[in-house]
Amino acid sequence: MHIAVLGGDGIGPEVTAQAVKALRAVAANGPQFEMTEAKIGDAAYDTTGDPLPEATAQLAEKADAILFGAAGTYESDLRPPAQRGGHGLLRLRKRMDLFANFRPVFAFPELIGASTLRREAIEGVDLVVLRELTGDIYFGTPRGIHVENGERVGINTMRYSESEVRRVAHAGFKAAQKRRKKLCSVDKANVLETSLLWREVVTQVGLEYPDVELKHEYVDAMAMLLVRKPREFDVIVTGNIFGDILSDAAAMLTGSIGMLPSASLNAESRGLFEPVHGSAPDIAGKDIANPLASILSAAMMLRHSLNKPEMADRVESAVRRVLAEGYRTADIMEEGATLLGTDAMGDAVAREIARLTH
Ligand code: IPM
Ligand code: MG
């Protein structure tokens, strides 16, 4: 099986390297995964002038799965949108039609103390944000900055077609069926037509899943409910921009955004697997970033695209054990725990995987 490894920018390469270690360890007894690295984001722009070079896109399309780090830096934020590192990632998502972005939020019992929220609120949290990833205001046209009546006007277009909503709704109901059978759809139907259509289509699709309990929330209320009673939620399905914002907020339920993995899948369950945290250029190269989100993304890859659920279990168990042994990176550090750098945390997880493998 062939994996495209796109480390990208900032802390992307260093955390991805730890996920690669985990993949090597988990396959130690059998055939190894074939892994090929390629550049994306600013790392690619700096050498080729394009944040998604054609060679990288083709490698990603041919691979059985993509392990992705992060894209974008502070410098690239100053360039026009199409030349920014993050744009390379957006184009890859669109080009491969990776519309279903699963961001599981699981409160590890060992990390409850690392959250800024109170134990009573977050203990037992186990939810998934399913973010639509290839539509909405991210890709709608018209867009741009124009001059009108002597001043500049910025324009973006929120847009969803019925078929785009329908397919992500199906993905949401199916995910809920495999879990606690609750789906909460998030929109802003009290204000936006896009959301009115979204709500109507999700409700219609729901008729095909009588075993799943469907609820709707407005996005502003949802932001509040996520921190007030997050345990109530099982699967949350929402559009691209609402999902971007809500998933960062949901990350804090786990103690650190450094713990959050994600899977972006297309209709054939081929996909891109990336930590939710992004490039964090301020801590890049310092060996302090938390690699667990990347390692857990590799586990999602084993489960969702490579059909190796038992290997995925082993990687996840290894992460649990390392946390239980009291090892922490700086973002989740607590009194009495042992502080590890990025590389040493990757080694610790690989060691546990090896123990579980032999
Ligand atoms: C994310 C990120 C990206 C997004 C950026 C890097 C373009 O914030 O994956 O959540 O907005 O989708
Ligand atoms: Mg984001």
Side-chain angles (χ1 to χ4, degrees):
M1 264 176 288
H2 185 204
I3 301 169
V5 179
L6 314 181
D9 303 320
I11 60 171
E14 47 194 294
V15 296
T16 305
Q18 311 314 315
V20 166
K21 276 185 203 165
L23 288 168
R24 294 213 189 289
V26 83
N29 278 347
Q32 280 287 330
F33 298 109
E34 191 190 317
M35 296 191 247
T36 312
E37 291 187 22
K39 284 196 171 9
I40 192 165
D42 286 348
Y45 180 83
D46 292 344
T47 50
T48 68
D50 186 352
L52 179 65
E54 186 55 28
T56 300
Q58 285 188 16
L59 174 80
E61 279 177 334
K62 274 198 288 186
D64 296 299
I66 305 158
L67 183 63
F68 182 86
T73 56
Y74 299 139
E75 293 86 68
S76 78
D77 285 346
L78 304 172
R79 296 196 294 264
Q83 293 164 27
R84 291 180 195 166
H87 204 81
L89 172 61
L90 296 178
R91 270 167 53 203
L92 188 60
R93 288 172 176 169
K94 186 75 178 171
R95 175 163 166 163
M96 293 190 62
D97 207 17
L98 305 172
F99 67 91
N101 177 219
F102 293 91
R103 298 184 163 189
V105 177
F106 176 75
F108 286 89
E110 296 84 1
L111 296 183
I112 298 289
S115 175
T116 50
L117 298 165
R118 280 218 302 268
R119 173 176 290 272
E120 309 86 87
I122 57 173
E123 214 155 39
V125 164
D126 181 4
L127 60 87
V128 180
V129 178
L130 170 52
R131 167 188 177 194
E132 199 289 331
L133 204 58
T134 52
D136 204 353
I137 198 162
Y138 270 65
F139 295 97
T141 50
R143 65 182 298 160
I145 299 176
H146 310 290
V147 177
E148 257 175 50
N149 303 324
E151 65 169 348
R152 289 181 308 152
V153 181
I155 298 172
N156 291 92
T157 304
M158 183 173 264
R159 184 199 142 95
Y160 266 121
S161 68
E162 288 182 275
S163 56
E164 284 175 309
V165 180
R166 198 172 298 124
R167 65 181 183 172
V168 76
H170 278 292
F173 282 106
K174 291 203 169 94
Q177 277 182 327
K178 292 193 200 132
R179 296 172 45 97
R180 302 196 303 278
K181 300 192 168 51
K182 294 201 310 190
L183 182 67
C184 180
S185 171
V186 177
D187 60 40
K188 187 71 184 171
N190 50 343
V191 179
L192 305 171
E193 280 79 8
T194 322
S195 281
L196 269 179
L197 182 77
W198 175 282
R199 192 174 278 222
E200 222 180 275
V201 173
V202 172
T203 305
Q204 223 172 52
V205 171
L207 299 175
E208 297 174 42
Y209 300 86
D211 54 328
V212 176
E213 177 200 322
L214 172 65
K215 264 192 358 180
H216 301 273
E217 293 290 352
Y218 297 135
V219 63
D220 50 349
M222 189 65 203
M224 181 184 67
L225 291 169
L226 257 185
V227 285
R228 202 174 100 191
K229 38 182 186 175
R231 261 193 303 261
E232 307 258 307
F233 297 97
D234 182 17
V235 180
I236 296 166
V237 64
T238 189
N240 206 343
I241 186 77
F242 299 154
D244 178 46
I245 298 164
L246 290 177
S247 60
D248 269 29
M252 283 321 292
L253 303 170
T254 69
S256 166
I257 196 166
M259 293 301 300
L260 236 64
S262 82
S264 308
L265 304 178
N266 64 19
E268 292 86 48
S269 288
R270 271 160 38 81
L272 180 148
F273 299 83
E274 60 168 316
V276 172
H277 52 59
S279 61
D282 52 324
I283 59 164
K286 296 186 180 160
D287 194 40
I288 57 174
N290 185 347
L292 295 179
S294 182
I295 292 170
L296 292 168
S297 299
M300 290 187 86
M301 176 168 84
L302 291 165
R303 182 168 289 118
H304 296 287
S305 280
L306 303 181
N307 198 21
K308 301 273 184 209
E310 163 276 327
M311 285 191 184
D313 287 345
R314 247 184 292 154
V315 173
E316 285 164 358
S317 303
V319 169
R320 292 291 297 269
R321 285 196 187 196
V322 166
L323 291 174
E325 283 160 17
Y327 294 113
R328 302 284 187 274
T329 43
D331 56 316
I332 50 175
M333 188 57 191
E334 284 171 280
E335 232 180 85
T338 309
L339 182 65
L340 295 184
T342 309
D343 203 51
M345 182 56 105
D347 288 341
V349 174
R351 218 169 25 240
E352 281 302 333
I353 294 172
R355 237 175 246 159
L356 291 163
T357 302
H358 294 295

